[in-house]
Amino acid sequence: MRFFSDNAASVHPAVLEALTRANRVDTAYDGDALSRSLDGAFSDLFETEVAAIWVSSGTAANALALAALCPPYRGIVCHRDSHIENDEAGAPEFYTGGAKLILADGAGAKLSPTSIAERIDAIAIDVHRVQPAAISITNATEYGRVYGPADVAAIGDLAKARGLRFHMDGARFANAVVYSGASPADLTWRAGVEALSFGFIKNGGMSAEVLVCFDTSIADEIRIRRKRAGHLASKGRYLAAQVLALLAEDRWLANARAANEGAATLAAAAGARLLHPVEANEVFLRAAPDEAAGLRARGFEFYDWADGEIRFVVSWDQPPPEVEALAAALARL
Amino acid sequence: MRFFSDNAASVHPAVLEALTRANRVDTAYDGDALSRSLDGAFSDLFETEVAAIWVSSGTAANALALAALCPPYRGIVCHRDSHIENDEAGAPEFYTGGAKLILADGAGAKLSPTSIAERIDAIAIDVHRVQPAAISITNATEYGRVYGPADVAAIGDLAKARGLRFHMDGARFANAVVYSGASPADLTWRAGVEALSFGFIKNGGMSAEVLVCFDTSIADEIRIRRKRAGHLASKGRYLAAQVLALLAEDRWLANARAANEGAATLAAAAGARLLHPVEANEVFLRAAPDEAAGLRARGFEFYDWADGEIRFVVSWDQPPPEVEALAAALARL
Amino acid sequence: MRFFSDNAASVHPAVLEALTRANRVDTAYDGDALSRSLDGAFSDLFETEVAAIWVSSGTAANALALAALCPPYRGIVCHRDSHIENDEAGAPEFYTGGAKLILADGAGAKLSPTSIAERIDAIAIDVHRVQPAAISITNATEYGRVYGPADVAAIGDLAKARGLRFHMDGARFANAVVYSGASPADLTWRAGVEALSFGFIKNGGMSAEVLVCFDTSIADEIRIRRKRAGHLASKGRYLAAQVLALLAEDRWLANARAANEGAATLAAAAGARLLHPVEANEVFLRAAPDEAAGLRARGFEFYDWADGEIRFVVSWDQPPPEVEALAAALARL
Amino acid sequence: MRFFSDNAASVHPAVLEALTRANRVDTAYDGDALSRSLDGAFSDLFETEVAAIWVSSGTAANALALAALCPPYRGIVCHRDSHIENDEAGAPEFYTGGAKLILADGAGAKLSPTSIAERIDAIAIDVHRVQPAAISITNATEYGRVYGPADVAAIGDLAKARGLRFHMDGARFANAVVYSGASPADLTWRAGVEALSFGFIKNGGMSAEVLVCFDTSIADEIRIRRKRAGHLASKGRYLAAQVLALLAEDRWLANARAANEGAATLAAAAGARLLHPVEANEVFLRAAPDEAAGLRARGFEFYDWADGEIRFVVSWDQPPPEVEALAAALARL
């Protein structure tokens, strides 16, 4: 029973069907009808005019957005435990041409206006220090915490006051929307977010994410940078089709809801062992080595996170009996 | 009837079936069984031990290979009309960190030891000039010409003599193999090629190419650079599956053969109008504006290449009646 | 008798005296009084408000200017024989983050609106091709030709019409001013130039050039990039002092005049052997190998430029008897 | 009385005299006799064969060394308070092409094998994390602490064991040599250091530092990168002359000794207020705002470092009466 990662999950059948339906001759790159419909589809979803640009990975979406928001000689404020700092092999540095990630703190990998201000106020304003140009937050965070609309807006206000651009890594944006109950618009541009890496792959997709530009003035540059990075697929319709299939019938929300509910079930069973409130589809808890071994012996697969800490991720397609079995096992610890 | 581009072609049904078969929970990134089988599959195909690394575009394959073969402060000799110079939005410069493309000449976008030597001999060897570090050729070329094993080996010998690394952009490698009748091994590493961008997308694939490292010592670096570039797909099994489906039953050869044969039919009909010998699946020919308009009026879609020059590309899935209709129309010009 | 290069020349005594005068404790970096006076001094010279930023080499001045004028994913139109293409080891690519140099032609390394337009009109406007963002010309050119105010303005008009930024490499700007008789203003910003690399080192300086920003909005970015490139000297007053010493009493003009006159003397003697009109301090001429050997036997040192072509450079401090001796020798050829 | 920075100090008269002596026509770039003598001079000083490469700033020396020691996709372990992290505007990121600075801790900005190992052991070894490639330490540190030969060797051993390259930022290397009493060799290559940024500018020089390569195999690459960065001065003899003048008669040691002794005098006076042991020429101490104001009122100029902390730097040319006056004032606090 795999609770390793939502990256290990399968692809939603509707996505595969959409690929089959898309399988005919059409214009190359992003000139096909499906790709051309994305701006409209995401503008509807976000209740404002956006540019919606498919890419083939969340790392690419993040790095492209950051390259458009931060010049090479400035920095991006992010959490010390963020994906862009720890899990992208330096993609932000590569794409921006050497911008510096400026690390701030906060419980559950969640930044706050206070923690951000503290960090950047310590940077003397002169030509010797790398000055910040942008803030990037992850929603839901790397520890499964969710920024609600007010959380995001508070950071958005700070960004505006300090002249900083604002990016959201939404690899698990769907889980954040479901948990917060907020509209996609309230969780992003209405709260000041200028670019969103909207994740689909962990949530039932195969190989397509969408970089949503609320500041549409950066879209042209991003399209050039996408090509230059080798992310302009020559048969783009197969990426667009995936995304459209997940938007259809609100599958993206249903998938995230299923994953969140599974995690909530685990959280209830884990009780006081939880390291972080469970708000999305990740569950971090304390477990002694022998306890972890015991769980593994019963067939549960998961990551050791740190000494005495383990992580479970519930995927959109996780069979409920697996969740129940794990919840029971956790309750028995 | 679309003769625009093989990027507009459909995906081979076996590829879609393979995606469906791959659709179950498995290890993320490239840790799944399919991805892990690629090294073996390509080692068999090339009759030597290789590292075979999937990526999602030919541009990415080329740029990753070049970044491993050329430091930022040196240059890559390529044809003035090559894809890496003209059609990748500066991806080689981006990935290498600013290496210079050093442009050489040759009919049909084909380089020769002579044209390469002439170009690099003109570069004074001092610290002020960017010195070459690598050669990159495209097989089949951008004008549909094919380097046979002896052609490649002659350049490979030069590369070795000059201490230059050797890369082949094989976006249409299958077409070159079919035309030359040579083994994949003879057309590459036995002739000195150290890294090959092996194209599948134009040839019936959906979103996966393979970077084949004959010099396996560069594979680790390339895997890191792939991640850093956002090209390490989190569900890599869906890329590996595509490639394996095309290798199976020699579909990649059958597809290329169909495309080449269609082009040969057009070439025979075009006769003296041909701008380049037709050796792969591209046909360039002279046509006055009114002739081009006439062809379009009859339902043929294609690119104007230059003044009085037009290009047809035959795809793997081109219906034979379309080819015959076009051949007839060309013969009537 | 050295006619190799004006880089081999000595430093003007007034420069050394200025260094001695500057030799006291003062604010570090560019906070000292001398450095702070540069903006004013160059604004006076150019009859408009400019930002004047010292750097320690012409390559740095060029590369910093280009990095501010051209994003990583676009290109810079320059002459095929320009210094930025051939003699800076890829500095423009390094500083811009991989922008492409787009090579155009013209006799004597001189571009024209026609040659530029021809080159860029050949670039299809799509996301696959690197689009130009800037034009860079060298005045005087690498072959000692001078753009007069009308020449510059014609290119400036094209730049404006095409939305391109406009940079001038003025490693020998002084020689161009002297030859053209034009005011520094007419030769630059009044003709559309937005940034000038103003050379002093070849013209009697030691280790300071000045990047003059007519578009002062780019100065802050350039100051940051200068620091990031290691070109913010910690004792900047010793750079500013050099430049101010050469501006004083119009020494920069006197030095250039001496060099130009020497070259004119050689040109008159060389007659029909000249490869380019001599307008600055460089003299290129045809000479058979035995003729070149003969000159060397008589003690003249110079570069072989190409087969049967040799180059003489007259420096600001070239003793007139050396010039006369060489002129006599050339006349006797 | 200026205790701001040793960058504000004057230039040693012998340096100015050397510039005057060098003022004649000679080969350009680094082909002159003085530049060519540097390898020998520094090989003598370090008792082993080294390559000694002049550059015009410490930032350039550091960044060039790091670019040769660390590929773009890996990281450099350094102290959180190091100059390369805080005071070079991102030069290491620029020169390396986006390598990450991996920040470790230690009192007085001094790293230890333990603090380094702790930091890098926390980095999971996989393709998602940026792996370290090099260690960089500063001697004397940013807080005026000195690594003795055993300190350096302990880190050198760790570097070797982990396969990491080892760089020393020696902006105040002279002060470290004087304080430690160690030979330059013992403090560097015998302890595992592979490249040293040897500072002269703070210590009586004007505009020349030397990058000393103990691993001579990286020197060619560094020379190319130097040109590409615009740091190959066209009249290099004026840089070499400065350095040679400071090596002559052990002026570099005398200058550092004078500065260190001044700082020691201040340290004795400051007593319990000291924040760090004073081992070089910097003195950090606790002072309430009114105390700092009082010192300023008496004519002493210095930096506020942090809340209630101030910094004095004693320069090589600091008049002893100024030091005595400040010592007296500190004693009276």
Side-chain angles (χ1 to χ4, degrees):
Chain A
M1 289 168 283
R2 295 212 158 197
F3 290 89
F4 268 130
S5 166
D6 32 14
N7 283 327
S10 69
V11 164
H12 195 286
V15 168
L16 285 172
E17 285 157 26
L19 292 176
T20 302
R21 261 200 318 281
N23 194 26
R24 44 189 174 68
V25 172
D26 202 340
T27 306
Y29 302 106
D30 59 354
D32 61 282
L34 296 175
S35 297
R36 281 184 289 112
S37 77
L38 285 191
D39 284 355
F42 282 83
S43 294
D44 288 350
L45 184 63
F46 283 96
E47 307 169 53
T48 190
E49 197 199 331
V50 306
I53 300 172
W54 47 248
V55 288
S56 67
S57 75
T59 293
N62 288 339
L64 285 168
L66 295 174
L69 297 177
C70 180
Y73 49 82
R74 295 185 68 185
I76 298 148
V77 183
C78 63
H79 196 280
R80 187 174 306 287
D81 294 331
S82 64
H83 200 265
I84 59 172
E85 166 66 7
N86 288 323
D87 296 293
E88 303 190 346
E93 287 90 343
F94 175 39
Y95 275 67
T96 58
K100 194 182 272 290
L101 300 196
I102 300 172
L103 308 180
D105 294 291
K110 216 173 146 180
L111 294 174
S112 67
T114 311
S115 68
I116 295 169
E118 214 166 85
R119 182 65 188 82
I120 62 184
D121 287 346
I123 301 172
I125 297 179
D126 65 37
V127 80
H128 305 269
R129 298 294 300 264
V130 174
Q131 304 297 320
I135 300 171
S136 178
I137 65 173
T138 313
N139 201 14
T141 76
E142 287 73 13
Y143 289 116
R145 299 295 310 274
V146 169
Y147 292 88
D151 297 329
V152 180
I155 296 175
D157 289 347
L158 176 75
K160 206 168 178 182
R162 301 293 185 109
L164 303 175
R165 310 301 302 267
F166 191 13
H167 166 254
M168 181 181 282
D169 174 357
R172 294 187 182 96
F173 181 67
N175 306 276
V177 169
V178 162
Y179 177 78
S180 68
S183 74
D186 285 346
L187 214 49
T188 55
W189 65 273
R190 284 204 191 107
V193 172
E194 295 170 288
L196 167 72
S197 303
F198 193 148
F200 287 93
I201 298 175
K202 293 177 194 294
N203 196 32
M206 178 188 290
S207 62
E209 312 279 59
V210 173
L211 176 47
V212 183
C213 303
F214 303 111
D215 173 0
T216 54
S217 74
I218 60 175
D220 280 350
E221 175 182 337
I222 286 177
R223 287 200 186 93
I224 298 172
R225 287 185 182 270
R226 176 177 65 170
K227 171 63 201 174
R228 179 173 170 83
H231 281 287
L232 178 62
S234 56
K235 293 180 172 175
R237 57 199 183 277
Y238 298 97
L239 280 82
Q242 297 176 41
V243 169
L244 292 167
L246 289 169
L247 288 187
E249 301 178 25
D250 285 344
R251 286 187 186 101
W252 67 290
L253 290 171
N255 287 0
R257 194 169 295 121
N260 281 11
E261 286 173 0
T265 299
L266 299 184
R273 290 174 172 271
L274 289 180
L275 290 158
H276 302 288
V278 172
E279 298 171 351
N281 65 328
E282 295 183 290
V283 180
F284 292 81
L285 45 84
R286 260 177 295 272
D290 63 314
E291 295 174 322
L295 290 168
R296 288 200 169 96
R298 260 161 280 156
F300 300 107
E301 296 176 289
F302 52 88
Y303 278 123
D304 291 317
W305 200 254
D307 253 19
E309 302 182 6
I310 58 179
R311 183 188 82 160
F312 298 92
V313 185
V314 182
S315 297
W316 75 272
D317 62 349
Q318 203 89 40
E322 291 187 9
V323 173
E324 282 148 33
L326 177 55
L330 292 179
R332 270 195 304 273
L333 280 186
Chain B
M1 289 168 283
R2 296 209 157 199
F3 290 89
F4 268 130
S5 165
D6 33 13
N7 284 325
S10 69
V11 163
H12 194 286
V15 168
L16 285 172
E17 284 155 28
L19 292 177
T20 303
R21 264 200 317 281
N23 194 26
R24 45 188 173 68
V25 172
D26 202 338
T27 305
Y29 302 108
D30 59 354
D32 61 282
L34 296 175
S35 297
R36 280 184 289 111
S37 76
L38 285 190
D39 284 355
F42 282 82
S43 294
D44 289 350
L45 183 63
F46 283 95
E47 307 169 55
T48 189
E49 196 200 332
V50 306
I53 301 172
W54 46 248
V55 289
S56 67
S57 74
T59 294
N62 288 339
L64 285 167
L66 296 175
L69 298 178
C70 180
Y73 49 84
R74 295 185 67 186
I76 299 146
V77 182
C78 63
H79 196 280
R80 188 175 304 288
D81 294 330
S82 65
H83 201 265
I84 60 173
E85 166 66 6
N86 288 322
D87 295 293
E88 303 191 346
E93 288 90 342
F94 175 40
Y95 276 66
T96 57
K100 194 182 273 289
L101 300 197
I102 299 171
L103 307 181
D105 294 290
K110 217 173 147 181
L111 294 173
S112 68
T114 311
S115 69
I116 295 170
E118 211 167 88
R119 181 66 187 83
I120 62 184
D121 286 345
I123 301 172
I125 296 179
D126 66 37
V127 81
H128 304 269
R129 298 294 302 263
V130 175
Q131 303 297 321
I135 300 171
S136 178
I137 65 171
T138 311
N139 201 14
T141 76
E142 288 72 12
Y143 289 115
R145 299 294 311 276
V146 168
Y147 292 88
D151 297 329
V152 180
I155 296 175
D157 289 347
L158 176 75
K160 205 167 179 183
R162 301 294 184 109
L164 304 175
R165 310 301 301 268
F166 191 12
H167 166 254
M168 181 182 284
D169 174 357
R172 294 189 182 92
F173 181 67
N175 305 278
V177 169
V178 163
Y179 176 79
S180 67
S183 75
D186 285 346
L187 213 49
T188 55
W189 66 272
R190 284 204 191 108
V193 173
E194 296 170 288
L196 167 72
S197 304
F198 192 150
F200 288 93
I201 298 178
K202 294 178 194 293
N203 195 32
M206 179 187 288
S207 62
E209 311 281 57
V210 172
L211 176 47
V212 182
C213 304
F214 303 110
D215 173 0
T216 55
S217 74
I218 61 175
D220 281 349
E221 174 181 338
I222 286 177
R223 288 200 186 92
I224 298 172
R225 288 185 181 270
R226 176 177 66 170
K227 170 64 199 175
R228 178 174 172 83
H231 281 287
L232 178 61
S234 57
K235 293 179 171 175
R237 58 198 181 277
Y238 298 97
L239 280 82
Q242 297 176 41
V243 169
L244 293 166
L246 288 169
L247 288 188
E249 302 178 25
D250 285 345
R251 287 187 185 102
W252 66 290
L253 291 170
N255 288 358
R257 195 168 295 120
N260 282 11
E261 287 173 359
T265 300
L266 299 184
R273 292 176 171 270
L274 289 180
L275 291 158
H276 303 287
V278 172
E279 300 172 349
N281 64 329
E282 295 182 288
V283 180
F284 293 80
L285 46 83
R286 261 177 295 273
D290 63 314
E291 294 173 322
L295 291 167
R296 287 199 170 96
R298 260 161 281 157
F300 300 106
E301 296 176 289
F302 53 87
Y303 278 123
D304 291 317
W305 200 254
D307 253 20
E309 302 183 4
I310 59 179
R311 183 188 82 159
F312 297 91
V313 185
V314 182
S315 297
W316 73 273
D317 62 350
Q318 203 89 41
E322 291 187 8
V323 173
E324 283 149 33
L326 177 55
L330 292 178
R332 272 195 302 273
L333 278 186
Chain C
M1 290 169 283
R2 295 211 158 199
F3 290 88
F4 267 131
S5 165
D6 32 14
N7 284 326
S10 69
V11 164
H12 194 286
V15 167
L16 285 172
E17 286 156 26
L19 291 178
T20 303
R21 263 200 318 280
N23 194 24
R24 45 187 174 69
V25 172
D26 201 339
T27 306
Y29 301 107
D30 59 354
D32 61 283
L34 296 175
S35 296
R36 281 184 288 112
S37 77
L38 285 190
D39 284 354
F42 282 82
S43 294
D44 288 350
L45 183 63
F46 283 96
E47 308 170 52
T48 189
E49 197 199 332
V50 307
I53 301 173
W54 46 249
V55 289
S56 67
S57 74
T59 294
N62 287 340
L64 286 168
L66 295 175
L69 297 178
C70 180
Y73 49 84
R74 296 186 67 185
I76 299 147
V77 182
C78 63
H79 196 281
R80 186 175 306 286
D81 294 331
S82 65
H83 200 266
I84 60 173
E85 167 66 8
N86 288 324
D87 295 294
E88 303 193 345
E93 287 90 343
F94 175 39
Y95 275 67
T96 58
K100 194 181 273 288
L101 300 196
I102 299 171
L103 307 180
D105 294 291
K110 217 173 145 180
L111 295 174
S112 67
T114 311
S115 69
I116 296 170
E118 212 166 85
R119 181 65 187 84
I120 62 184
D121 286 346
I123 300 172
I125 296 180
D126 66 37
V127 80
H128 304 268
R129 298 295 299 263
V130 175
Q131 304 297 319
I135 299 170
S136 178
I137 64 172
T138 312
N139 202 13
T141 76
E142 288 71 13
Y143 289 115
R145 300 295 310 276
V146 169
Y147 293 88
D151 297 330
V152 181
I155 296 175
D157 289 347
L158 176 75
K160 207 168 178 183
R162 300 293 184 110
L164 303 175
R165 310 301 301 266
F166 191 13
H167 166 255
M168 181 182 283
D169 174 356
R172 295 189 181 93
F173 182 66
N175 305 278
V177 169
V178 163
Y179 176 79
S180 68
S183 74
D186 285 346
L187 214 50
T188 55
W189 64 272
R190 284 205 191 108
V193 173
E194 296 170 288
L196 167 72
S197 303
F198 193 149
F200 288 92
I201 298 177
K202 293 177 194 293
N203 195 32
M206 179 187 289
S207 62
E209 310 281 58
V210 172
L211 176 47
V212 182
C213 303
F214 303 110
D215 172 0
T216 55
S217 75
I218 61 174
D220 280 350
E221 175 182 337
I222 286 176
R223 288 199 185 92
I224 298 172
R225 287 185 182 271
R226 176 177 64 170
K227 169 65 200 173
R228 179 174 173 83
H231 282 286
L232 178 62
S234 57
K235 294 179 172 176
R237 57 199 182 277
Y238 298 96
L239 280 83
Q242 297 175 42
V243 170
L244 292 167
L246 288 169
L247 288 188
E249 302 180 24
D250 285 345
R251 287 186 185 101
W252 67 290
L253 291 170
N255 287 359
R257 194 168 296 121
N260 281 11
E261 287 173 358
T265 299
L266 299 184
R273 291 175 172 271
L274 289 181
L275 290 158
H276 303 286
V278 172
E279 299 171 349
N281 64 329
E282 294 182 289
V283 180
F284 293 81
L285 45 84
R286 260 177 296 272
D290 62 315
E291 295 173 321
L295 291 168
R296 288 201 169 94
R298 261 161 280 158
F300 301 106
E301 295 175 291
F302 52 89
Y303 278 123
D304 292 317
W305 200 254
D307 253 19
E309 303 183 3
I310 59 180
R311 183 189 82 160
F312 298 91
V313 185
V314 182
S315 297
W316 73 273
D317 63 350
Q318 202 89 41
E322 290 186 9
V323 173
E324 283 148 33
L326 177 54
L330 292 179
R332 273 195 302 273
L333 279 186
Chain D
M1 289 168 285
R2 296 212 157 195
F3 290 89
F4 267 131
S5 166
D6 32 14
N7 284 326
S10 69
V11 164
H12 194 285
V15 168
L16 285 171
E17 285 156 26
L19 292 177
T20 303
R21 262 200 318 279
N23 194 25
R24 43 187 176 70
V25 172
D26 201 340
T27 305
Y29 301 107
D30 59 355
D32 61 283
L34 296 175
S35 297
R36 280 183 289 112
S37 77
L38 285 191
D39 285 354
F42 282 83
S43 294
D44 288 350
L45 183 63
F46 283 96
E47 308 169 52
T48 189
E49 197 200 332
V50 307
I53 300 172
W54 46 247
V55 288
S56 67
S57 75
T59 294
N62 288 338
L64 285 168
L66 296 174
L69 298 178
C70 180
Y73 49 84
R74 295 185 67 184
I76 300 146
V77 183
C78 63
H79 196 280
R80 187 175 304 287
D81 294 331
S82 64
H83 200 266
I84 59 172
E85 165 67 6
N86 288 323
D87 296 293
E88 302 191 346
E93 288 90 341
F94 175 40
Y95 276 67
T96 58
K100 195 182 272 288
L101 300 196
I102 299 172
L103 307 180
D105 294 291
K110 216 173 146 181
L111 294 174
S112 68
T114 313
S115 69
I116 295 170
E118 212 167 84
R119 181 66 187 84
I120 61 184
D121 286 345
I123 300 172
I125 297 179
D126 66 37
V127 80
H128 304 270
R129 298 293 300 263
V130 175
Q131 304 296 320
I135 300 171
S136 178
I137 66 172
T138 312
N139 201 15
T141 76
E142 288 72 13
Y143 289 116
R145 299 295 310 276
V146 168
Y147 293 87
D151 297 330
V152 179
I155 296 175
D157 289 346
L158 176 75
K160 205 166 180 183
R162 301 294 185 109
L164 303 175
R165 310 302 301 267
F166 191 12
H167 166 254
M168 181 182 283
D169 174 357
R172 295 188 181 93
F173 181 67
N175 305 277
V177 169
V178 164
Y179 176 79
S180 68
S183 74
D186 285 346
L187 214 49
T188 56
W189 65 272
R190 284 203 192 109
V193 173
E194 295 169 287
L196 166 72
S197 304
F198 193 149
F200 287 93
I201 298 177
K202 293 176 195 294
N203 196 32
M206 179 187 290
S207 62
E209 312 280 58
V210 172
L211 176 47
V212 183
C213 303
F214 304 111
D215 173 0
T216 54
S217 75
I218 61 175
D220 280 349
E221 175 182 338
I222 285 177
R223 288 199 186 94
I224 299 172
R225 287 186 181 270
R226 176 176 65 169
K227 171 62 202 175
R228 180 172 170 84
H231 281 286
L232 178 62
S234 56
K235 293 180 172 175
R237 57 198 183 277
Y238 298 97
L239 281 83
Q242 298 176 41
V243 169
L244 293 167
L246 288 168
L247 288 188
E249 301 178 25
D250 284 345
R251 288 188 185 101
W252 66 291
L253 291 171
N255 287 358
R257 195 169 296 119
N260 280 12
E261 286 173 359
T265 301
L266 299 185
R273 290 175 172 271
L274 289 181
L275 289 158
H276 303 287
V278 172
E279 299 171 350
N281 64 329
E282 294 183 290
V283 180
F284 292 81
L285 46 83
R286 260 177 296 272
D290 64 315
E291 295 174 322
L295 290 167
R296 288 199 169 96
R298 258 161 281 156
F300 300 106
E301 295 176 289
F302 53 88
Y303 278 124
D304 292 316
W305 200 254
D307 252 20
E309 303 183 5
I310 59 180
R311 183 189 82 159
F312 298 91
V313 185
V314 181
S315 297
W316 74 273
D317 62 349
Q318 203 89 40
E322 290 187 9
V323 173
E324 283 148 33
L326 177 55
L330 292 179
R332 271 194 305 272
L333 278 184

